């Protein structure tokens, strides 16, 4: 079985592939999201991430996108999987976003590296994220991450969500 497909119906559109990466960063009981748009009119929530530039590997693209969109410096620590999502972006171009999803550790805050003026870092619980993320594919990725926190018996593999790690 391949990666799940989300988004608009295939009929009636040209959907060129757009390789992309997105990440889940946790701080306590919340995960990082980006609020995109003009707060006085319309905004939506997304996982931090975006398109992979020519010559970039997915991990490098993810680190760059996190810095540009959130001002956070991160390091990928694991891959959750992938999905495809047929979307039309703000300028009217249509793509089939071929997203790879990663778990990342936050290394530092670097607000000077935030270069996307219409993106704002916000923190939400995973359940709030699932309910409010604009793209169904992003909500799917959060669910996959939450499922990965438990082993098949239902016991936590990484401790309670938000629990402190002992050094």
């Amino acid at each position: 079985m391949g990666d799940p497909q989300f988004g608009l119906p295939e009929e009636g559109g040209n959907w060129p592939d757009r390789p992309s990466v997105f990440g889940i960063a946790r701080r306590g009981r919340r995960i990082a999201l980006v609020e995109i748009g003009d707060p006085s009119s319309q905004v939506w929530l997304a996982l931090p991430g975006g398109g992979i530039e020519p010559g970039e590997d997915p991990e490098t693209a993810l680190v760059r996108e996190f810095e540009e969109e959130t001002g956070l410096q991160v390091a990928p620590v694991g891959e959750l999987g992938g999905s495809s999502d047929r979307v039309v972006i703000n300028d009217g171009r249509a793509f089939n976003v071929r997203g790879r999803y990663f778990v990342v550790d936050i290394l530092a805050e670097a607000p000077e590296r935030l270069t996307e003026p219409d993106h704002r870092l916000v923190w939400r619980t995973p359940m709030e994220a699932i309910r409010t993320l604009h793209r169904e594919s992003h909500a799917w990725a959060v669910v996959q991450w939450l499922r990965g926190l438990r082993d098949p018996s239902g016991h936590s593999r990484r401790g309670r969500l938000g629990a402190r790690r002992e050094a």
Side-chain angles (χ1 to χ4, degrees):
M1 177 152 63
D3 292 339
Q5 176 72 59
F6 298 96
L8 298 169
E10 187 173 16
E11 312 75 56
N14 179 26
W15 304 99
D17 285 345
R18 183 176 187 185
S20 300
V21 290
F22 303 94
I24 296 178
R26 180 174 89 178
R27 179 175 282 161
R29 294 183 176 268
R30 299 182 184 276
I31 60 173
L33 303 177
V34 286
E35 184 180 71
I36 305 168
D38 180 355
S40 66
S41 59
Q42 182 179 1
V43 297
W44 61 93
L45 291 175
L47 290 173
I52 299 172
E53 300 295 334
E56 246 181 349
D57 62 65
E59 292 82 0
T60 301
L62 184 63
V63 168
R64 175 185 52 76
E65 287 285 347
F66 252 88
E67 287 182 355
E68 292 174 356
E69 294 185 354
T70 68
L72 296 174
Q73 291 180 315
V74 299
V77 295
E79 186 170 355
L80 293 168
S83 73
S84 296
D85 198 355
R86 289 185 292 268
V87 300
V88 177
I89 61 174
N90 294 347
D91 64 7
R93 292 181 296 154
F95 294 101
N96 190 28
V97 175
R98 299 255 183 213
R100 304 303 305 168
Y101 298 88
F102 291 84
V103 176
V104 302
D105 280 343
I106 300 169
L107 303 176
E109 294 186 21
E112 70 280 1
R113 296 190 181 188
L114 179 64
T115 60
E116 307 253 357
D118 65 339
H119 287 58
R120 289 163 301 286
L121 173 63
V122 296
W123 296 91
R124 300 287 187 268
T125 67
M127 292 310 293
E128 289 169 330
I130 290 166
R131 285 193 305 270
T132 59
L133 281 162
H134 181 67
R135 291 187 187 169
E136 187 179 354
S137 59
H138 290 201
W140 170 85
V142 174
V143 169
Q144 299 310 301
W145 172 70
L146 286 172
R147 291 180 73 179
L149 295 177
R150 302 210 168 272
D151 68 22
S153 70
H155 294 94
S156 175
R157 282 193 269 207
R158 299 183 195 158
R160 283 185 309 111
L161 179 63
R164 288 182 173 273
R165 286 189 235 172
E166 298 299 321

